[in-house]
Amino acid sequence: MAAPTPASLRDLYVPPSNAWSFIPPALAQDNSSAATNPPVSGPSSSNQWSTRTAPNPLFELSSSLAGDDSGLDIASLAKELLAALLLQYATNAIAQPWEVGKTLLQVQWVPRDTGDILLDGSGAEIIDDEAELSDSSNENDSYFADPTAEKPPKPPRPADEHGYIIRQSVLEEGTQPEYVIPVGSADGTWGMMKRLAGFRAEGWLALWKGLLTTAVHNALTSALQPLVYSVLQSVFSPFSPSLSSLGSTSVLLPVASQVLTGFILSPLDLIRTRLIVQSSVPRHRTYSGPLDALRQILAQEGGVRGIYLHPHLLIPTLLDCTLHALVPLTLPGLVAAQVGLGAHISPETHPVQWNIAELLGGIAGSLVLLPFETVRRRLQVQTRGSARPLKACVEIRPAPYNGMVDAFWHILTEERSDLPLKPHRRRRRRSEGAKGKARESGAAHREDDGAEESESWLRHSGIGQLYRGLGMRVGASVLVFVLALVGSPEDSNGGWAEL
């Protein structure tokens, strides 16, 4: 028999509750079952607190986590990790040729007194004999000379203890090692890249020397720097409440974390530089790979203490890492205040003005960073202890530098900046009576003298050697600026800011 229909539904209505309920679902069901008139099941606007945690990606790498019974989805996590590693490796592979070209330009030694090789009109190498090229030379002496008389032998060229001829100039092709790129043959990063790819002892694969070490170094830097920052923040914040303020935290702790990270990973940077600079010829190669380089450096150059605390490595590392961390944080704001963009702009409130300030700050920062980076690279190339000198694919200074100040001084005083070097062409004059040729030769000499006078300040100054790679850095800053204007701020500098 059917149940009697109630006269009114007013008694069955239960108003919804808007308060938070922290009772687990199981207890809520037990309490509801004990009630006399249970409410009708249906949609409710009450907010219930659940004891089950929501699916949350692990380090934002996995799309979801499996249930409590099955545990972590290892396959999905492995795919995400592999995709992230491949993406970072591909980014480093794109930027590595420019990094190789810039590093080789920075360590290349271009002495001021190169002993210019004289060329005749046909391009053949001749000897700069003043008696032969001078107008006062008397051709009648050879007419009345005795043909049977023996000519005095030319003095032998100086040789070392092994009998090898000593190089008189870095431009001499006869005494130049087969694995060394001719000095001064490239004036920029792109020129060095083309010269390296076309050199018979290197080839185009040499543009990716040190790629694995670079990728590992960048990956460890990205993973270690936030961890070091968190540790420093947890350690120093309780003792110094001022570090919790916005102004102090945005400068002090990030700079300290980046400097400490750079110091910890400085052996990888040393290995990367030497792998890039060393020759690719198997019989002249010093290191077969990054692990072999680490083993030899630890065994021959003072162990862990030498690789971290040697003054020629420690001081340049601390200065270079400090400037690389401090300049991007301070220069954009200073430049914005000086050029009238505003003293209190930020990426959120003034995105265009902030991008312009970052572009100008990046260019100004390159002028500050490149000299210290160049000196650090040259000191990294020098071997220490019982290690043999590195056989580099470019010309490096035979005598080692004695610290940063000594390196700055010798670069400025003994090197030249007028790259690429061009051999001085001089025409051999055949006869004194050839007035037309003499006038032509005199005009050519005047043109050469005018060119030398116009380039004298570059030839007699090594300031340009401290700024090798400046054009590449400026181009990278412009590229980051364009990407920031047309794309999202998060993806604007991925990979290109490392240049």
Side-chain angles (χ1 to χ4, degrees), residues 110 114-126 128 169-173 176 182-186 195 416 418-427 444-445 447-449 451-452 455 459:
V110 186
T114 55
D116 292 342
I117 303 300
L118 303 180
L119 301 179
D120 58 9
S122 61
E125 185 177 323
I126 64 174
D128 189 9
S169 170
V170 294
L171 297 180
E172 289 182 354
E173 296 183 359
Q176 183 178 355
V183 64
S185 58
R195 194 69 181 89
R416 56 194 296 177
D418 54 338
L419 297 183
L421 299 181
K422 297 180 180 180
H424 182 62
R425 296 184 177 273
R426 182 177 296 178
R427 295 183 178 274
H445 282 302
E447 293 178 359
D448 293 341
D449 293 340
E452 289 181 359
E455 298 177 355
R459 175 168 182 167

Side-chain angles (χ1 to χ4, degrees), residues 39 50 57 64 79 87 117 120 141 150 180 188 205 213 251 253 303 312 338 346 365 388 421 452 455-456:
S50 176
S64 63
K79 291 180 181 179
L87 179 61
I117 303 300
D120 58 9
D141 294 342
E150 296 182 359
V180 176
L205 287 178
T213 310
V251 176
L253 292 184
H312 293 176
Q338 293 296 327
S346 64
R388 296 179 302 173
L421 299 181
E452 289 181 359
E455 298 177 355
S456 61

Side-chain angles (χ1 to χ4, degrees), residues 130-147:
E130 294 295 337
E132 183 181 359
L133 299 177
S134 176
D135 293 337
S136 61
S137 61
N138 189 3
E139 296 181 355
N140 295 327
D141 294 342
S142 61
Y143 180 79
F144 293 102
D146 186 5

